[in-house]
Amino acid sequence: MARRKRALEVVRHEDDGDGRPSRRNRLNFFELAYQRIEELLVHCELKPGQFMTMLELQQITGFGRTPVHHAVNRLSADTLIIIRPRHGLHIAPIDLARERMLLGLRRDMERFVIRLAADRASLSHRNQALHIERLLRDRRASLTLDEFNSIDRRIDALVLEAAGEPFLAHTLRPLHTLYRRIGFIHHRFMPGQTDLSGTIDHHLAILNAVASRRVDDAVKASDALIDYMDFMFAGMEAGIDPRLLDCSIEPLLGA
């Protein structure tokens, strides 16, 4: 009898009293759906320029209509998905000129964020930064691109948390996604660019500076990472197949 009573208490705690999942659980589903779609965008499983329906996106992600709808609205505000009323969804094509221009905005914002993070980092934040740094050093030669992107997302979240200003997360989140996708395309599809050691080294410098609370070094390391990303654009503008940036472009000679 006592066990049944406890079970009923759990059920009441997990729903809103009307049979639906609690608000907290719904918000968790929203965030999980957003993260899943963001991952599909970064890895180009949702191809730039692709058209699809909301139902197809639900089937791909495994989430229901409400979480996916919520996530799509956020990604639309992030300019990553274009909502076409009565026509479905359009995965925004990659505009290299625009994203290279926005790199200047990211540089200035990252300087501000990294300065705050290095100055305000708590003992817990510094411990996490050192733990990630050790992992990157240990796995430097064997880390896959997918694994690095997962760690990169953790680094971005840690730096924003250490900075301690929630407004910054909403502003920088879409920029992080844009450039994580650019990095994926660069390392996966550009000839001779599979080596991750360059980008790993830049992230190591940031982690070490934040963990040591060396503010000026952290800002310099952040600038160096942005310079590295700008170098990626220089190569991609001439060397990348344009259909990787917009799958609706007709292939040459029917290839």
Side-chain angles (χ1 to χ4, degrees), residues 27 61 81 121 142 153 160 167 175 199 205 211 215 217 221 255:
L27 290 173
T61 62
I81 293 179
S142 62
R153 199 177 196 282
L160 286 166
F167 176 80
L175 289 174
T199 189
V215 175
D217 288 345

Side-chain angles (χ1 to χ4, degrees), residues 234-247:
M236 290 176 68
E237 286 173 351
I240 200 73
D241 183 343
R243 297 189 70 224
L244 293 170
L245 309 177
D246 184 351
C247 68

Side-chain angles (χ1 to χ4, degrees), residues 18-81:
D18 57 2
R20 295 180 301 167
S22 68
R23 175 174 172 78
R24 183 185 64 185
N25 286 345
R26 291 202 303 273
L27 290 173
N28 286 343
F29 279 129
F30 294 162
E31 185 61 32
L32 288 171
Y34 176 86
Q35 290 178 14
R36 177 58 182 147
I37 297 171
E38 181 193 48
E39 180 182 304
L40 293 169
L41 289 167
V42 167
H43 295 161
C44 295
E45 294 177 58
L46 296 178
K47 297 179 180 179
Q50 178 179 353
F51 285 88
M52 64 192 316
T53 66
M54 189 75 76
L55 181 58
E56 287 172 329
L57 192 54
Q58 290 172 224
Q59 293 169 341
I60 291 170
T61 62
F63 287 95
R65 183 184 183 279
T66 301
V68 169
H69 189 269
H70 183 86
V72 164
N73 282 338
R74 281 176 63 184
L75 289 160
S76 174
D78 293 346
T79 72
L80 289 159
I81 293 179

